[in-house]
Amino acid sequence: MKGGRRFSFSALVVVGDGKERVGFGLGKAGEVPDAIRKASDQAKKNMVKIPTVEGTIPYDVVGRYGACSVVMNPAQKGKGIIAGGAVRVITELAGVRDIVCKVHGTKNAGSVVRATIDGLLQLQTIEEYASRKGVDPTTAQLKRNTKEKKNLAAAKPAGAPAPAAAKPAKPAPKR
C-alpha cells in the first residue's frame, strides 16, 4: 500500500445509566464497528458517579479542557436541560433533569466532552465536603447558606438609589 492511504476511524462514545453514573471513551480502528466497540468498552470502564440534588447539580461549576470551558448552573425543577450538543447528551445520560449550560471556546466534540466531565467531577455532596473539611454536614450547610445570603446582600444593598439613566448614544457620523 502506498504512503498516505492508510485510513483509520475514530469514535467518541458516551455511556450512562441515567442514575448519576456517566463515562466516555475514544476508540480508533481500521473499521467503524471496531472503533465503536473499543470506545464503548473504554467508556464503560471509565464511568464516574455524579452527585445530584433533586434532579440538578448542587452548585455552579466550570469544567475546562484545552481551549474549551463549559459553564454549568443548577436549574429549578421543571426547567429541563438547557444545553447544546455533547453537554446535553452527557447530562441526560448522567440522570440530570434540570440544568443550564454554556460552552465557551472551542466547540470540538472531544474537548466539550472532556470539559463537561471535568466540571461534573468537581461536584461534591454536602457530606463529602463536610468530611473533607472535618466538620458536621449540617454546620457546613448552614455556613454555605449564610455565605449565599451575604453575597446576595452585598450584590444589592438595601435602600440603594436606582441607577441613573444612561446617556443617549451619539449618532454615527454620516459618510
Side-chain angles (χ1 to χ4, degrees), residues 12 17 32:
L12 181 66
D17 61 358
V32 174

Side-chain angles (χ1 to χ4, degrees), residues 31-91:
E31 299 294 327
V32 174
D34 294 336
I36 293 171
R37 181 185 46 76
K38 284 181 179 181
S40 56
D41 289 346
Q42 187 180 6
K44 289 172 191 171
K45 288 179 188 174
N46 295 332
M47 287 186 74
V48 292
K49 189 173 185 327
I50 308 301
T52 60
V53 178
E54 297 175 10
T56 188
I57 57 175
Y59 48 86
D60 298 356
V61 69
V62 178
R64 291 183 178 85
Y65 181 83
C68 180
S69 62
V70 179
V71 180
M72 293 177 266
N73 300 315
Q76 293 177 343
K77 189 170 185 158
K79 179 109 176 172
I81 299 174
I82 311 297
V87 182
R88 174 180 289 274
V89 172
I90 292 171
T91 52

